[in-house]
């Protein structure tokens, strides 16, 4: 503590200061306070949209109710050894029946938006053909409940629960028939819900579900396709997105907004020199060329096609035109930096650095801690593809989430993670990066895919036996951020 401040406080405490001196103390303290205020971070924009997110298979349960068909995850999760704890999503969080309780949890956070996904096999049990009459009834009720509580619905059409019938009949994304079926599904949803749902994400995390489900056999449906077939499947997903954008605009209400939600291959300059920043731009474009790039540019990069060679996807000019249909926004799912890069004199102009074994991570080992990624990824994407509206469609972390002796969950690690990531996002918006909103993953603990119920990402802890929901300390933290529209204040 500076000596002059110590003397002033001493004088005040001992009562030795005259009235004039005391006034001087107050003036100095006010000046110090004003100086501190001038150094507070710039708040988020006044119209910044705060939200949270979930997905259908992870929380709904009720897999055999009201005409719902089987999804590839229904089948895959029942194969012994595929899910770490041997669980399935058959029951999950029973959100299908507890949605009003869960909407109340959203409302308690003070957020104004909720991103949920629609289960394709609830709407079209066979993937195509005649829709299930009860298929959208649940989402009708959910949307109405959200709106009644002042929460704006953001729907996602595909969060991995593909109808198993499409897998059996046409090989799912290996066939463009699935792309066309997805467009029909999108049109049906748009016609039914866009009187109230004004924002729709088409497909979620192509970079995950294609590679993990069709390339490495880790996720549903557990396939290990050759590279050429894998690239073709990804192309069909891109085509499905483009067809869905067109279908939503043709069948939905005027003003409906649509875009993808992608786990962008997040590239960060290892050092923020002009050379490394430029290298990160090149890396971001090339390493996302297989989906996000072709969607936003309407073409595959020369680098992608050269690297793929004979394994490059087969396509037509008409397909590329459809894929490149303009979007209203882009959702970026950002958890961890995937690549740190530096400049290189050799093609393709960037060098990917290896992660040291000591690099810190969260409760999930894959989730490396790199808060700067939520600054760089949207900043680079906005510049490369001239994106005007970006949503952070997912961001969050798993935590050990043990219940303390007093019955509470003090998830300080999640708070640390969010505090640092949101500070970097606040830095981005202060610099004009067009991030319009943020959806924290996740509202509550749920079925975490191949990890079953062993990894908890929620703001609310769920006891999967009793289905009781308990707010964690991070829920109070996030509520405070939303109320302030700022972090670090």
């Amino acid at each position: 503590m500076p000596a002059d401040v110590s003397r002033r406080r001493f004088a005040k405490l001992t009562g030795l200061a005259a009235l004039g001196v005391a006034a001087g103390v107050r003036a100095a303290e006010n000046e110090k306070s004003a100086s501190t205020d001038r150094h507070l971070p710039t708040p988020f924009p006044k119209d910044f949209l705060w939200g949270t997110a979930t997905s259908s298979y992870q929380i709904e349960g009720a897999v055999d109710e009201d005409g719902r068909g089987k999804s590839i995850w229904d089948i895959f999760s029942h194969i012994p050894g595929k899910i770490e704890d041997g669980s399935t999503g058959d029951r999950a969080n029973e959100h299908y029946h507890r949605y009003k309780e869960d909407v109340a949890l959203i409302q308690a956070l003070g957020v104004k938006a909720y991103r949920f996904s629609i289960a394709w096999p609830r709407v079209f049990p066979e993937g195509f053909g005649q829709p299930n009459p009860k298929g959208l009834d649940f989402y009708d009720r959910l949307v109405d409940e959200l709106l009644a509580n002042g929460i704006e619905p953001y729907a996602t059409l595909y969060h991995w629960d593909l109808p198993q019938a499409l897998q059996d009949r046409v090989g799912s994304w290996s066939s463009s028939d699935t792309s066309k079926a997805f467009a029909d599904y999108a049109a049906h949803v748009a016609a039914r819900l866009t009187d109230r749902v004004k924002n729709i994400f088409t497909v979620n995390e192509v970079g995950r579900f294609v590679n993990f489900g069709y390339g490495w056999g880790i996720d549903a449906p557990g396939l290990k396709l050759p590279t050429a077939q894998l690239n073709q499947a990804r192309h069909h997903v891109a085509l499905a997105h483009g067809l869905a954008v067109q279908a939503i605009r043709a069948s939905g209400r005027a003003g409906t907004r649509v875009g993808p939600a992608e786990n962008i291959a997040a590239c960060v300059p290892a050092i923020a020199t002009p050379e490394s920043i430029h290298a990160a731009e090149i890396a971001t474009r090339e390493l996302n060329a297989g989906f996000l790039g072709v969607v936003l540019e309407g073409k595959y990069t020369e680098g992608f096609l050269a690297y793929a060679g004979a394994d490059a996807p087969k396509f037509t000019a008409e397909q590329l035109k459809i894929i490149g249909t303009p979007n209203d926004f882009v959702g970026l799912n950002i958890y961890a930096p995937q690549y740190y890069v530096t400049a290189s004199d050799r093609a393709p102009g960037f060098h990917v650095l290896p992660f040291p074994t000591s690099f810190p991570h969260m409760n999930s080992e894959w989730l490396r801690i790199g808060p700067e990624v939520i600054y760089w990824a949207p900043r680079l994407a906005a510049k490369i593809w001239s994106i005007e509206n970006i949503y952070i469609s997912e961001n969050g972390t798993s935590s050990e989430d043990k219940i303390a002796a007093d019955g509470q969950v003090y998830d300080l690690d999640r708070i640390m993670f969010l505090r640092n990531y949101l500070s970097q996002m606040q830095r981005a918006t202060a610099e004009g990066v067009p991030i319009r909103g943020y959806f924290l993953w996740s509202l509550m603990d749920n079925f975490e895919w191949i990890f079953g119920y062993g990894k908890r990402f929620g703001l609310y802890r769920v006891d999967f036996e009793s289905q009781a929901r308990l707010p964690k300390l991070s829920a109070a933290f996030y509520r405070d951020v939303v109320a302030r529209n700022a972090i670090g204040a």
Side-chain angles (χ1 to χ4, degrees):
M1 178 179 296
D4 61 331
V5 175
S6 298
R7 284 193 295 270
R8 288 198 297 270
R9 288 186 176 176
F10 178 79
K12 184 177 180 181
L13 289 171
T14 58
L16 296 178
L19 179 61
V21 176
V25 171
R26 288 194 294 272
E29 290 178 342
N30 290 338
E31 181 180 351
K32 183 173 183 289
S33 176
S35 176
T36 301
D37 289 343
R38 285 196 296 270
H39 290 85
L40 289 177
T42 303
F44 287 94
K46 290 182 178 180
D47 58 350
F48 193 80
L49 187 72
W50 293 101
T52 186
T54 63
S55 84
S56 51
Y57 187 72
Q58 291 181 274
I59 67 168
E60 285 182 3
V63 296
D64 295 318
E65 296 186 33
D66 295 332
R68 178 187 180 277
K70 295 291 186 184
S71 78
I72 55 175
W73 274 96
D74 291 305
I75 303 303
F76 185 80
S77 65
H78 280 264
I79 299 174
K82 294 300 184 181
I83 308 302
E84 193 172 88
D85 61 2
S87 64
T88 72
D90 290 1
R91 185 185 181 201
N93 298 43
E94 295 184 349
H95 175 71
Y96 192 78
H97 297 292
R98 298 173 179 264
Y99 71 94
K100 289 189 177 182
E101 174 186 350
D102 294 335
V103 170
L105 300 182
I106 301 170
Q107 198 274 338
L109 295 172
V111 300
K112 296 302 181 184
Y114 173 54
R115 179 179 173 231
F116 63 95
S117 77
I118 295 169
W120 187 351
R122 284 200 192 280
V123 183
F124 286 88
E126 299 299 312
F128 54 85
Q130 292 300 312
N132 172 26
K134 295 184 177 180
L136 287 173
D137 289 353
F138 166 69
Y139 303 103
D140 263 328
R141 298 191 298 271
L142 174 61
V143 167
D144 288 345
E145 187 70 14
L146 289 167
L147 292 173
N149 283 272
I151 301 164
E152 188 173 1
Y154 278 65
T156 302
L157 294 179
Y158 185 73
H159 202 129
W160 309 359
D161 43 359
L162 182 91
Q164 179 65 34
L166 284 174
Q167 179 65 48
D168 296 338
R169 293 182 182 182
V170 300
S172 64
W173 297 111
S174 295
S175 171
S176 61
D177 287 345
T178 300
S179 309
K180 298 170 186 175
F182 184 69
D184 292 341
Y185 158 58
H188 180 73
V189 172
R192 177 79 171 266
L193 296 183
T194 55
D195 60 329
R196 290 153 292 155
V197 178
K198 299 302 182 183
N199 297 276
I200 298 177
F201 293 97
T202 53
V203 291
N204 182 77
E205 290 197 356
V206 177
R208 163 73 188 260
F209 80 76
V210 170
N211 290 333
F212 279 58
Y214 297 85
W216 303 330
I218 297 173
D219 283 353
L223 302 180
K224 296 181 180 180
L225 300 177
T227 302
Q229 293 181 35
L230 184 68
N231 287 337
Q232 195 66 46
R234 187 183 300 105
H235 174 76
H236 290 149
V237 177
L239 178 61
H241 162 78
L243 289 169
V245 172
Q246 294 183 351
I248 291 166
R249 291 193 177 132
S251 300
R253 298 293 181 93
T256 303
R257 301 164 70 238
V258 61
E262 177 64 340
N263 58 325
I264 184 172
C267 303
V268 176
I271 305 173
T273 61
E275 294 80 12
S276 288
I277 293 172
H278 181 60
E281 292 175 6
I282 298 171
T284 297
R285 182 170 183 253
E286 292 300 334
L287 296 177
N288 288 284
F291 177 74
L292 198 56
V294 69
V295 164
L296 297 177
E297 298 182 37
K299 64 180 181 180
Y300 291 106
T301 66
E302 293 180 3
F304 171 79
L305 294 175
Y307 180 80
D311 292 328
K314 304 297 188 292
F315 55 84
T316 66
E318 179 61 24
Q319 287 178 338
L320 290 182
K321 184 177 179 181
I322 293 169
I323 291 170
T325 302
N327 299 276
D328 298 296
F329 56 78
V330 173
L332 299 179
N333 294 0
I334 300 175
Y335 290 91
Q338 290 178 267
Y339 306 99
Y340 283 95
V341 301
T342 57
S344 174
D345 293 333
R346 301 176 61 181
F350 62 90
H351 176 60
V352 174
L353 304 182
F355 280 92
T357 56
S358 61
F359 201 96
H361 60 79
M362 298 301 293
N363 174 260
S364 295
E365 291 188 6
W366 60 267
L367 213 171
R368 300 184 179 101
I369 306 170
E372 63 275 15
V373 69
I374 208 167
Y375 167 81
W376 285 107
R379 171 180 157 172
L380 296 174
K383 180 179 180 182
I384 295 164
W385 294 300
S386 300
I387 306 172
E388 296 183 357
N389 298 294
I390 293 174
Y391 291 96
I392 304 302
S393 37
E394 288 184 26
N395 171 252
T397 183
S398 62
S399 174
E400 193 172 29
D401 289 344
K402 287 187 175 180
I403 299 179
D406 62 0
Q408 301 302 307
V409 176
Y410 300 111
D411 52 340
L412 295 175
D413 50 353
R414 180 175 288 109
I415 291 174
M416 174 279 297
F417 179 94
L418 293 174
R419 179 182 290 116
N420 283 279
Y421 273 69
L422 294 179
S423 293
Q424 287 289 326
M425 188 172 71
Q426 189 164 315
R427 172 191 172 198
T429 58
E431 293 182 12
V433 178
I435 303 173
R436 310 304 183 193
Y438 171 88
F439 294 88
L440 193 152
W441 187 273
S442 175
L443 170 65
M444 55 187 167
D445 300 336
N446 51 47
F447 178 79
E448 187 51 36
W449 307 113
I450 58 173
F451 300 106
Y453 298 100
K455 296 296 182 183
R456 294 177 175 270
F457 277 78
L459 292 173
Y460 291 90
R461 190 183 193 279
V462 178
D463 181 321
F464 293 104
E465 290 299 319
S466 68
Q467 292 295 335
R469 277 80 155 137
L470 172 71
K472 305 172 187 177
L473 188 61
S474 58
F477 170 82
Y478 189 47
R479 185 185 307 116
D480 181 68
V481 171
V482 173
R484 293 173 181 266
N485 198 37
I487 189 164

